[in-house]
Amino acid sequence: MGALPRAAFDSIVGYLEQVEPDLVCEAINQAAINNKRSWGYAQAILRDCLKNNITTRAAYLAEKEARSQQKGAAQRQQMKTTQEKLREIAKGGIADDVSADGGAPVAGYELLG
């Protein structure tokens, strides 16, 4: 992160009064991992934690893991839906349907005739 201005230092001290020190360190670490080497990015993480009543590193990591699993489940569901549509198209069940990305219509298919 580099040298901290006095205002950033004071802000860190304020967060240390509200959350455990390991959470402050984790926020700074996450900022570095995301190549956002500023106190502002770490501070946004801590503000979000406080908004969600997260005050420990363990709780932050658990919430982050839960979000990751939800995102993975949503992506798997989207893939399943897309695969089902493709199977239906391949069987000739959908003619001139709109593509999954909302773009141009998909021409009638005779893939598996």
Side-chain angles (χ1 to χ4, degrees), residues 6-99:
R6 180 64 189 197
F9 174 80
D10 292 341
S11 180
I12 290 171
V13 170
Y15 280 106
L16 288 171
E17 294 171 357
Q18 300 175 70
V19 301
E20 73 175 19
D22 285 345
L23 181 56
V24 174
C25 292
E26 184 63 30
I28 293 168
N29 186 46
Q30 289 300 312
I33 287 171
N34 289 300
N35 205 26
K36 306 291 184 184
R37 300 182 190 274
S38 71
W39 169 243
Y41 192 91
Q43 187 175 24
I45 292 170
L46 292 168
R47 271 195 308 262
D48 189 52
C49 286
L50 287 174
K51 184 176 93 174
N52 293 306
N53 296 317
I54 296 170
T55 59
T56 67
R57 181 178 182 267
Y60 170 77
L61 294 175
E63 193 270 340
K64 186 177 175 187
E65 178 63 26
R67 271 185 299 168
S68 177
Q69 289 179 0
Q70 284 178 335
K71 185 177 178 182
Q75 288 173 338
R76 285 188 297 277
Q77 180 59 37
Q78 177 63 34
M79 182 181 293
K80 181 179 177 183
T81 302
T82 301
Q83 289 172 343
E84 289 169 353
K85 287 179 184 178
L86 290 173
R87 282 188 195 105
E88 194 171 336
I89 290 170
K91 291 178 184 177
I94 299 176
D96 297 328
D97 192 15
V98 177
S99 67

